[in-house]
């Protein structure tokens, strides 16, 4: 079962490409038929619900709603809307399986009773089907009473009028040859090995028998049906390195120059700030860098000013532009976490980059590091967000205007017209500093009285129209803040 689950998750791509079924061969009769039947006419007792028969449509509806079947819910969408459902039945018409969802209870494998196993793979990708079937058969065959014995099956493909189109015997269990240059193997792993040693290592990794052609300098290996991962010469080289032992590989030369690695100052600053915001009770999230144009502007009641970088060929409407604000991602996170208790408030934050068009940049755009946070609860929690703003400024040793004293650098809070927030409960944070401080000089060393005012961002109670059902569909009041960290940390 573990092997079947791993195959379903990986090469089968969550059953989109291949679905595997195992049955007790002694309780069914061949020949077996694989066809499609109207979903309301499919009737059988599934493995999970052995108390009654279900039609195909009713069973999928049950899996979509029953918490006890949540492990099957992700697969129901693969066939749910189809008028006909795939069915495997035996000679007596008994349903053995409805791939890719569930097997029937009649042919289930029972511990201590099943002695003969029938393995079937249905697929939308024939190559993947053969790989998965070969893997399943070879693994099962190890536990046969007569080890590694397999009985082949003829698969007959029929035409629309019932004639025979083609016949294929499965499983194939075919091996193939693959090659790699001995010089490439030694060069990549950094160890000089002779041909017999490499052949021995290949055999150790189930790639035997291996041979060496002295004329061409080529190592030829035999790839068994269980090693479908061998696609290129570099895969052979990797297996040789694993068999030789990574710990035995000789390290390369020490570089002649001495350098000390470390995080970029902006990243170091961001990491420190993440710790402090988390200590304030906020949970960090990481959201997509791409979003819809209306999410970035219209849903926030903001005018599209053309600052967003647009994708020329987006895969779908969810990825039309690169975000210029972190708020859509946080609001969507709140939307998808409605089940969380709101009594004490739900607090999320994110520190990530946004991208803005910039004609002065080499690539026509620039990144900005932003901090955004949201609070949702029984009240809008405006005071919680206001407190976070004050805490962030305090951590950066920037005092409010009312407490600035002799300091030339301070911040002030003033009214804003940002339509994303409710009128009367919205403000912008303005950093006031000497002009020379922008170039890295300390505020005390700045000459003259010239100062600059930089709007770091805005905060406030999110407008009810932004929280509406046709926007972000949030039922509880919410407050948010978004700040540009780069001027605050002295990075611009």
């Amino acid at each position: 079962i573990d092997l079947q689950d791993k195959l379903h998750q990986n090469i089968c791509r969550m059953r989109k490409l291949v679905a595997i079924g195992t049955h007790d061969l002694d309780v069914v009769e061949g020949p077996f038929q694989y066809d499609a039947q109207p979903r309301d006419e499919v009737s059988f007792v599934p493995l999970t619900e052995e108390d009654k028969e279900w039609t195909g449509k009713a069973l999928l509806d049950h899996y979509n709603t029953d918490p006890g079947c949540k492990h099957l819910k992700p697969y129901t969408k693969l066939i749910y809307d189809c008028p006909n459902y795939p069915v495997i039945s035996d000679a007596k018409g008994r349903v053995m399986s409805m791939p890719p969802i569930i097997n029937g209870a009649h042919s289930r494998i029972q511990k201590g009773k099943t002695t003969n196993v029938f393995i079937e793979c249905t697929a939308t990708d024939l190559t993947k089907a053969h790989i998965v079937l070969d893997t399943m058969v070879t693994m099962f065959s190890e536990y046969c009473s007569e080890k590694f014995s397999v009985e082949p099956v003829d698969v007959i493909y029929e035409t629309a009028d019932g004639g025979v189109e083609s016949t294929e015997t499965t499983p194939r269990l075919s091996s193939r040859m693959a090659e790699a240059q001995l010089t490439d193997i030694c060069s990549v792993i950094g160890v000089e090995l002779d041909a017999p040693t490499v052949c021995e290592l290949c055999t150790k990794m189930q790639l035997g028998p291996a041979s060496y052609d002295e004329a061409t300098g080529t190592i030829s290996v035999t790839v068994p049906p269980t090693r479908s991962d061998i696609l290129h010469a570099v895969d052979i080289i990797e297996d040789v390195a694993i068999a030789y032992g990574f710990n035995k590989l000789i390290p390369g030369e020490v570089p002649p120059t001495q350098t000390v690695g470390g995080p970029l100052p902006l990243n170091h600053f961001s990491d420190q700030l993440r710790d402090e915001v988390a200590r304030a009770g906020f949970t960090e999230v990481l959201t997509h860098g791409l979003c819809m144009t209306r999410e970035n502007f219209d849903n926030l009641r903001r005018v599209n000013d053309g600052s967003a970088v647009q994708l020329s060929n987006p895969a779908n409407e969810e990825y039309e532009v690169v975000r210029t604000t972190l708020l859509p991602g946080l609001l969507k996170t709140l939307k998808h976490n409605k089940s969380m208790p709101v009594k004490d408030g739900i607090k999320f934050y994110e520190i990530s980059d946004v991208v803005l068009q910039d004609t002065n940049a080499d690539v026509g755009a620039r990144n900005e590091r932003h901090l955004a946070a949201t609070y949702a609860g029984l009240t809008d929690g405006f005071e919680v967000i206001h407190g976070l703003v004050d805490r962030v400024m305090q951590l950066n040793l920037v005092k409010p205007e009312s407490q600035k004293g002799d300091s030339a650098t301070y911040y002030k809070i003033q009214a804003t017209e940002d339509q994303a927030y409710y009128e009367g409960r919205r403000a912008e944070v303005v950093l006031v500093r000497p002009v020379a401080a922008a170039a890295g000089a300390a505020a005390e060393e700045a000459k003259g009285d010239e100062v600059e005012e930089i709007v770091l961002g805005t905060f406030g109670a999110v407008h009810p129209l932004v929280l509406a059902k046709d926007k972000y569909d949030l039922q509880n009041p919410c407050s948010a803040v978004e700040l540009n960290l780069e001027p605050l940390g002295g990075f611009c």
Side-chain angles (χ1 to χ4, degrees), residues 199-238:
C199 291
E200 183 181 345
L201 295 175
C202 289
T203 303
K204 187 177 180 181
M205 297 299 291
Q206 301 179 4
L207 297 180
S211 60
Y212 175 63
D213 187 340
E214 191 171 350
T216 59
T218 301
I219 298 289
S220 298
V221 301
T222 305
V223 181
T226 54
R227 292 302 309 273
S228 60
D229 59 307
I230 303 298
L231 304 174
H232 189 272
V234 72
D235 297 314
I236 300 174
I237 297 173
E238 180 187 17

Side-chain angles (χ1 to χ4, degrees), residues 293-314:
T293 303
R294 62 182 176 86
E295 287 178 344
N296 199 70
F297 296 105
D298 297 344
N299 285 7
L300 295 175
R301 305 177 72 232
R302 291 174 176 171
V303 177
N304 187 346
D305 56 3
S307 60
V309 176
Q310 296 185 350
L311 274 66
S312 60
N313 56 340

Side-chain angles (χ1 to χ4, degrees), residues 134 172-178 206 208-209 221-227:
D134 285 353
R172 292 177 175 176
L173 297 179
S174 58
S175 59
R176 56 188 173 86
M177 302 301 294
Q206 301 179 4
V221 301
T222 305
V223 181
T226 54
R227 292 302 309 273

Side-chain angles (χ1 to χ4, degrees), residues 352-399:
S352 295
D353 283 0
V354 300
V355 178
L356 302 169
Q357 289 194 33
D358 186 353
T359 56
N360 296 323
D362 293 341
V363 295
R366 73 177 191 278
N367 285 32
E368 275 187 4
R369 185 66 51 85
H370 281 204
L371 159 67
T374 55
Y375 174 95
L378 300 178
T379 63
D380 61 22
F382 179 82
E383 69 282 357
V384 176
I385 293 298
H386 196 322
L388 178 64
V389 172
D390 291 337
R391 176 58 177 162
V392 170
M393 304 306 288
Q394 181 186 42
L395 291 168
N396 286 277
L397 304 179
V398 181
K399 296 182 178 180

Side-chain angles (χ1 to χ4, degrees), residues 135-201:
T135 304
M136 287 292 294
V137 168
T138 50
M139 295 301 104
F140 264 87
S141 66
E142 184 179 355
Y143 301 97
C144 294
S145 56
E146 182 183 343
K147 280 187 176 294
F148 308 112
S149 60
V150 176
E151 183 177 342
V153 174
D154 287 335
V155 180
I156 302 173
Y157 294 94
E158 297 180 344
T159 59
D161 58 2
V164 177
E165 180 179 346
S166 62
T167 301
E168 183 177 14
T169 301
T170 61
R172 292 177 175 176
L173 297 179
S174 58
S175 59
R176 56 188 173 86
M177 302 301 294
E179 298 179 346
Q181 293 292 319
L182 179 61
T183 54
D184 291 343
I185 295 174
C186 298
S187 174
V188 172
I189 68 176
V191 178
E192 289 298 326
L193 300 174
D194 55 29
T197 301
V198 172
C199 291
E200 183 181 345
L201 295 175

